[in-house]
Amino acid sequence: MSFWNKIVQVFTGINPIILTLEIILFTIVFYYLFCIPKLGGASWVNILTIAVSLVVVLLAPSVESGYLSLLVTLSTTAIITIVLFQSEVRRNIFMLSFLKKENKMTGTRYKNKISEKDVQDYINEIVKALFNLSKQNIGALIILSNDNIPQVVLDSGVPINAQISSQLIESIFNAKSPLHDGAMLINNARIQSVGCFLQLSRDTTIPKELGTRHRAGIGITETTNVTALIVSEETGVISIVQHGKIQRYADHEMLQKTLLDYFWKEL
């Protein structure tokens, strides 16, 4: 029997309802495999176990259709997953590509480990700067990175490797500063670079009142596992962006929690 005849036989022998359910369940499995870096411990293990079990049960009746049936299902699933979850796929590919780099830098991080008091001081300085900028309606974009910022972004800014302080943050974003329109990158308790340019998000659901600064903050978090802190130049509203999702009207408590999670996770 020729190859094409085998394919025709496979498709004629497949129950379309069963095939549709298989593709849906495989898509769920693929999606959560891409999201593993974001999920904690038992949560993703439980989800995967349930999804795989359901897939096996549904595949059982169509085993006689042969391996081509499984190949068609997996290929279709891969295409659907990439199309529907392209932002998640891009983000996690970036994360995996920088995983080796992060592992190499682990020793350096612990050598430079900072105290609990230092952490709280840095948090207070950032929060103080954000609220001062907010009161004056001065726009700002701060990226909390974890050694995974693409090199093209780093090359677009000015490296300063400075200690975190509210005075420095406010002076960088002052309208008279030549670097105020770019993003500030904070990495490992240091201000690594300023005046960086970020690719804007292409998400069409972003409210029109959010300008370039917000689109840049959302864009970087869609492809890289970082947190963006944004102050609106028009309204003074402070926003927190993670995984492409923006949370506006951030208050003191929300900022403290976000920064505490970042510093203890990274340091």
Side-chain angles (χ1 to χ4, degrees):
M1 184 183 295
S2 69
F3 176 76
W4 292 110
N5 288 337
K6 287 182 180 179
I7 291 180
V8 172
Q9 184 178 3
V10 167
F11 276 102
T12 56
I14 295 177
N15 185 321
I17 297 177
I18 296 297
L19 179 61
T20 301
L21 291 175
E22 288 174 359
I23 292 174
I24 292 173
L25 288 173
F26 268 118
T27 301
I28 294 173
V29 173
F30 272 61
Y31 172 71
Y32 281 105
L33 281 173
F34 277 117
C35 291
I36 282 176
K38 297 189 299 177
L39 300 175
S43 59
W44 68 264
V45 174
N46 293 338
I47 293 170
L48 282 178
T49 301
I50 294 171
V52 171
S53 300
L54 289 172
V55 169
V56 171
V57 170
L58 287 174
L59 277 176
S62 60
V63 170
E64 67 274 7
S65 297
Y67 293 106
L68 276 177
S69 172
L70 183 59
L71 180 61
V72 169
T73 302
L74 289 175
S75 301
T76 306
T77 299
I79 295 172
I80 292 175
T81 302
I82 293 173
V83 171
L84 294 181
F85 308 114
Q86 53 183 303
S87 294
E88 286 83 355
V89 171
R90 289 199 310 269
R91 177 173 61 243
N92 287 284
I93 287 175
F94 265 109
M95 290 171 65
L96 291 174
S97 67
F98 286 101
L99 183 59
K100 185 176 180 181
K101 177 183 176 182
E102 290 183 5
N103 289 337
K104 287 182 178 179
M105 297 190 67
T106 301
T108 304
R109 286 183 183 179
Y110 281 100
K111 288 179 183 178
N112 299 327
K113 193 171 183 179
I114 60 179
S115 67
E116 183 176 353
K117 180 183 181 301
D118 289 334
V119 167
Q120 194 56 59
D121 287 343
Y122 292 143
I123 291 174
N124 291 339
E125 289 295 306
I126 296 173
V127 172
K128 178 182 177 181
L130 289 172
F131 276 102
N132 285 343
L133 293 168
S134 174
K135 291 176 183 177
Q136 303 173 66
N137 280 17
I138 297 176
L141 173 55
I142 299 175
I143 306 299
L144 306 176
S145 68
N146 14 319
D147 295 315
N148 62 346
I149 290 293
Q151 190 61 43
V152 64
V153 175
L154 292 174
D155 292 342
S156 70
V158 178
I160 61 174
N161 191 29
Q163 183 173 337
I164 295 172
S165 72
S166 59
Q167 293 92 337
L168 178 56
I169 295 174
E170 291 174 46
S171 65
I172 291 295
F173 289 112
N174 187 287
K176 295 181 180 180
S177 168
L179 302 171
H180 75 280
D181 278 334
M184 172 182 290
L185 304 183
I186 291 181
N187 189 38
N188 296 332
R190 304 285 291 180
I191 299 177
Q192 181 179 12
S193 189
V194 295
C196 296
F197 291 96
L198 310 177
Q199 184 174 354
L200 305 184
S201 172
R202 297 180 181 178
D203 187 350
T204 57
T205 64
I206 297 175
K208 293 183 179 180
E209 63 267 22
L210 300 183
T212 303
R213 184 174 285 108
H214 289 82
R215 287 186 173 274
I218 295 172
I220 188 67
T221 66
E222 288 175 340
T223 57
T224 311
N225 187 27
V226 298
T227 297
L229 306 176
I230 308 172
V231 179
S232 170
E233 187 173 344
E234 289 74 25
T235 64
V237 171
I238 302 174
S239 301
I240 300 172
V241 187
Q242 295 175 318
H243 306 303
K245 305 299 180 183
I246 187 168
Q247 190 172 17
R248 303 181 68 189
Y249 302 99
D251 57 20
H252 187 276
E253 183 179 351
M254 291 166 60
L255 291 171
Q256 284 274 342
K257 182 182 183 304
T258 299
L259 287 163
L260 190 60
D261 288 345
Y262 163 73
F263 277 111
W264 283 121
K265 179 178 70 174
E266 300 308 324
L267 302 171

